[in-house]
Amino acid sequence: MRKGIAITAAAAAALGLTAASISPAAAASSRLLDRGPDGVTIDIATVNGSGCPAGTTAVAISDDKEAFTVTYSDYMAQAGGSSKPTDGRKNCVISMKVHVPQGFTYAIAQTDYRGYAYLEKGASGVQKASYWFQGNSPTGVIQHNIPGAYDNNWQFTDKIPVDALVWKKCGEQRNFNINTEVRATAGTDKTKTSFIAMDSADGSIKTKYHFSWKTCP
């Protein structure tokens, strides 16, 4: 059974997801776009974390510039059985340079997370994420919980309302940062292993981030 959760405007405000980087007057003189401009590229600045060892992470931007996908190949947390205490939490912090043509700016409007979890009775899995531009404070953490027993794919979608989007400041090159985390706790029978991974049948783990674009004032 796949799951989806949308973040409401009230929840987004509570998490600190505000559009304070653009004033009301400036917002009035800028224009939301149906699609991204040509010439957008993404370079990875740094990748750090136990969930993304060197060489296990890649980023690709869609042809229509509407989204980019982060692919992991070794991102799983597990607990119980022969698992070590450090296996129960994995995280990954990615800092990327999104190169945008002059006169345009962007925000992240939606994120799709997908994975697989096998959780024994009494176990639990957690997926968490936060986002921020270099020099700004991180957003509040958006967290999703999966209780055991569970043995299936999972999917979560974080949607940010237009009036709560956090836009990159026009004319400034600031890295966009993503911090994700998965956690697993053991079930009632501690001898059995439970895990949560961000999955797919081909062994890659893909997370998709959707852009929202606008012209600068």
Side-chain angles (χ1 to χ4, degrees), residues 57-146:
T57 305
V59 176
I61 189 168
S62 63
D63 291 338
D64 60 7
K65 310 301 188 293
E66 293 303 297
F68 65 90
T69 300
V70 180
T71 303
Y72 305 96
S73 59
D74 188 16
Y75 201 166
M76 182 180 74
Q78 64 180 44
S82 60
S83 304
K84 297 178 292 187
T86 53
D87 294 335
R89 175 187 179 274
K90 300 293 182 179
N91 85 299
C92 184
V93 181
I94 300 177
S95 181
M96 60 185 68
K97 297 178 180 179
V98 182
H99 302 281
V100 179
Q102 187 174 359
F104 298 93
T105 186
Y106 71 92
I108 301 301
Q110 176 178 318
T111 307
D112 301 321
Y113 293 98
R114 295 180 179 86
Y116 186 87
Y118 179 84
L119 303 169
E120 295 284 348
K121 181 180 179 180
S124 65
V126 173
Q127 184 269 323
K128 299 169 65 174
S130 60
Y131 324 89
W132 70 99
F133 287 103
Q134 180 183 8
N136 293 351
S137 299
T139 63
V141 174
I142 302 174
Q143 176 172 315
H144 305 289
N145 303 298
I146 306 174

